[in-house]
Amino acid sequence: MKINFLALLLLFCFHLSGQNPAFDKIDRFLSELNQQHNFSGSVLVAWKGQVFKKGYGLSDREAKTAFTPQTISCVGSVTKQFTGAAILKLEMMGKLKVEDPISKYFPNVPADKQGITLHHLLTHSAGFPGAIGDDYTSISTKEFVKLAMNQPLLFIPGKAYEYSNVGFSLLGIILEQVTKEPYEAFLNKQLFKPAGMTQTGYVLPDWKSANVATGYRGERNWGKINEKNWASDGPYWHLRANGGILSNVEELYKWHQALLGEKILSKEAKAKYYGRHIEEGEGAGSYYGYGWAIFPTPRQTTLIAHNGGNGIYFCDFLRYVDEDLTVIFLTNATKREYQELATQCARACILPDFVPALNIKDPSKAVPVGQSQYDDLAKSFLLAIGSGDETAIKAMMDSHFAPGFKEDFPMDQHLKVLTKLGGNVKKLELATINATEQGLTLQFTDSPLTIEVELNGGKIAGIMVEN
């Protein structure tokens, strides 16, 4: 009997498409984003046993190199989950304990920092500031530790949350002291190789330059992150262990799969890794683990996620572990709106009728208040959240929130976040509205606060705040 392999292949592809129409929606969404806004990057979506992965646009515009799922790009602060796993690996090996004070590893720790533990560093609750220098400034280990120890703490260790790259760099230094080997070498041996990851790291994979995505800020060629001012074995300590790792979506999916079992971390270690140790700010509703943020969903499931970027490269990593859904996204030319891209892909899977969309706004089109068709919507939103009245906020949500967004988070979390935001804006005067059918940018007189409001069908479908 003769077999028509082409017909079988087409039938197989059609069958997969029929099983997961969400993948078709995601592909159309990203293809249109590429055509209309020059989007470049790659995405991998694993959903109920099937995997969709594809690249879009160019990883190098000058060389016309396509961005593919194998293209190497920067994962930014997703690096922190590798540092967290490495510290837990050392604890499994009996080399340290997360309860250890940092004074065990650093001499002459100032009195205000004597109570800081590795746990505090892992959970951004030590009180260190976010950063103490530029990512690409040369600095030795000794100089970095001295600089960090001289910083005034923002709060008593363990009493609050403040996202800090400094803390994770100190963890990397402790790792090197304990293991007597470079940070990347330990990760490569203990984490990456057991997970089957051969294309992840700082310098050890020794990629060809053409395989690494060039970064772009708007139309300007920013260059490749691993060709910036780095030491011979990776970035200096302002970036090392807190960011800067390079990888691709296929490699990160291997990492996700390895974490599902106990190949890397034991069950006990993963309980700490994903522990809801500290809320990410008052009213945030999400909690920080050891390099991961933990979110509740309205479906009574858990989202384990982290993103990272430097304003050029951006990575988002969403793991709906209870629902067998993983979304991994990389880009070499980010826009603020891309922070919602992975969530849009996730919604396309979870909500059958959801159509993914992003607000890509032109800042030159901002108009004074009173001249936008969305004035009433903006004023209703600000009036409700500024009132601090839960009844008024709920009524605004019922009237102005798009289907899907209201259900993305539990009501009490919406109320906490919106009430807190309202406290910040109620004394401010709305100055301009940059409006498109996809979204609004609200800017205020004499304030750096900016509110990005995503729209879907004239309804609020997402909110991001910059200050």
Side-chain angles (χ1 to χ4, degrees):
M1 181 177 65
K2 293 183 179 180
I3 299 176
N4 187 330
F5 285 98
L6 177 59
L8 281 177
L9 179 61
L10 292 173
L11 179 61
F12 180 69
C13 293
F14 175 79
H15 182 58
L16 285 183
S17 177
Q19 283 185 314
N20 264 315
F23 293 169
D24 295 330
K25 287 194 292 184
I26 292 168
D27 190 25
R28 286 194 298 271
F29 162 54
L30 296 177
S31 296
E32 290 173 4
L33 198 63
N34 168 248
Q35 293 167 7
Q36 297 173 10
H37 299 286
N38 198 27
F39 165 69
S40 56
S42 58
V43 68
L44 184 148
V45 182
W47 174 231
K48 292 184 176 180
Q50 296 184 21
V51 177
F52 169 80
K53 57 184 179 180
K54 188 174 178 180
Y56 301 84
L58 300 174
S59 67
D60 187 323
R61 297 174 186 175
E62 290 73 26
K64 306 298 182 186
T65 305
F67 210 119
T68 75
Q70 295 79 42
T71 297
I72 301 300
S73 192
C74 180
V75 308
S77 285
V78 170
T79 300
K80 291 180 174 66
Q81 64 192 247
F82 300 133
T83 301
I87 294 296
L88 286 170
K89 192 73 172 181
L90 286 172
E91 185 172 58
M92 289 169 58
M93 297 164 66
K95 301 290 187 180
L96 54 70
K97 295 181 179 179
V98 296
E99 296 84 5
D100 289 343
I102 62 172
S103 57
K104 182 176 179 179
Y105 303 98
F106 302 124
N108 305 316
V109 173
D112 65 328
K113 299 176 180 68
Q114 288 281 338
I116 295 175
T117 65
L118 305 193
H119 172 83
H120 291 140
L121 300 179
L122 287 161
T123 56
H124 301 297
S125 60
F128 284 112
I132 53 176
D134 183 78
D135 284 352
Y136 311 109
T137 297
S138 303
I139 189 168
S140 69
T141 302
K142 184 177 180 180
E143 289 170 335
F144 184 89
V145 173
K146 181 179 179 180
L147 183 61
M149 295 303 162
N150 286 337
Q151 299 299 311
L153 294 181
L154 303 177
F155 47 79
I156 296 172
K159 297 298 184 182
Y161 171 92
E162 181 68 27
Y163 190 89
S164 176
N165 289 320
V166 179
F168 272 78
S169 292
L170 290 173
L171 288 166
I173 292 172
I174 291 169
L175 180 152
E176 291 196 349
Q177 287 185 7
V178 170
T179 64
K180 308 300 182 186
E181 58 183 314
Y183 169 83
E184 184 192 8
F186 182 82
L187 266 60
N188 187 62
K189 180 171 61 179
Q190 297 293 340
L191 307 183
F192 300 153
K193 284 186 176 179
M197 301 163 68
T198 62
Q199 298 297 305
T200 299
Y202 284 137
V203 300
L204 292 180
D206 194 24
W207 308 279
K208 293 181 179 178
S209 182
N211 294 340
V212 178
T214 298
Y216 294 89
R217 187 188 295 275
E219 299 302 316
R220 183 171 65 85
N221 182 320
W222 181 82
K224 300 177 189 292
I225 189 169
N226 61 334
E227 295 177 358
K228 298 295 179 180
N229 182 40
W230 279 19
S232 60
D233 59 347
Y236 292 98
W237 282 112
H238 288 303
L239 183 59
R240 186 180 302 209
N242 73 67
I245 287 284
L246 288 97
S247 189
N248 62 39
V249 294
E250 293 182 338
E251 291 269 297
L252 294 178
Y253 185 57
K254 291 178 181 178
W255 176 242
H256 159 75
Q257 290 177 303
L259 290 175
L260 295 178
E262 296 185 32
K263 182 182 297 185
I264 307 295
L265 297 177
S266 67
K267 182 178 179 180
E268 293 75 18
K270 287 194 292 183
K272 295 181 180 181
Y273 198 41
Y274 302 134
R276 292 171 170 82
H277 297 298
I278 188 167
E279 193 171 19
E280 292 187 292
E282 185 179 354
S286 60
Y287 291 79
Y288 208 80
Y290 286 177
W292 288 102
I294 319 300
F295 299 81
T297 77
R299 299 172 301 283
Q300 306 301 313
T301 62
T302 298
L303 166 62
I304 300 172
H306 212 291
N307 63 23
N310 62 354
I312 292 96
Y313 297 96
F314 182 71
C315 173
D316 213 351
F317 196 164
L318 309 183
R319 304 171 66 214
Y320 297 84
V321 290
D322 303 321
E323 299 170 276
D324 195 20
L325 172 61
T326 302
V327 181
I328 305 168
F329 156 61
L330 290 168
T331 182
N332 61 331
T334 194
K335 298 178 184 289
R336 183 184 303 135
E337 295 86 351
Y338 290 176
Q339 294 181 30
E340 285 293 307
L341 189 150
T343 301
Q344 292 286 311
C345 293
R347 289 180 189 167
C349 294
I350 295 168
L351 304 172
D353 297 327
F354 181 78
V355 178
L358 283 183
N359 310 317
I360 309 295
K361 294 176 288 298
D362 182 351
S364 69
K365 294 181 179 179
V367 298
V369 174
Q371 297 182 22
S372 167
Q373 62 176 315
Y374 292 105
D375 275 357
D376 290 342
L377 173 61
K379 290 177 180 178
S380 294
F381 169 72
L382 295 174
L383 181 64
I385 66 173
S387 71
D389 181 1
E390 291 189 357
T391 301
I393 295 173
K394 287 179 180 178
M396 181 275 295
M397 292 171 64
D398 289 337
S399 298
H400 298 301
F401 273 27
F405 180 51
K406 183 178 177 181
E407 292 74 27
D408 271 346
F409 304 99
M411 178 58 70
D412 61 344
Q413 185 175 344
H414 275 302
L415 292 173
K416 284 182 181 179
V417 172
L418 292 174
T419 301
K420 182 178 181 181
L421 176 59
N424 292 332
V425 303
K426 64 181 179 181
K427 295 181 180 180
L428 300 178
E429 179 185 3
L430 182 62
T432 62
I433 301 175
N434 178 337
T436 70
E437 291 183 358
Q438 289 75 41
L440 312 177
T441 299
L442 309 181
Q443 295 183 306
F444 300 85
T445 303
D446 299 325
S447 174
L449 181 70
T450 298
I451 301 177
E452 300 281 349
V453 179
E454 178 184 347
L455 297 180
N456 189 347
K459 301 269 188 182
I460 297 173
I463 299 167
M464 291 187 290
V465 180
E466 289 194 357
N467 202 344

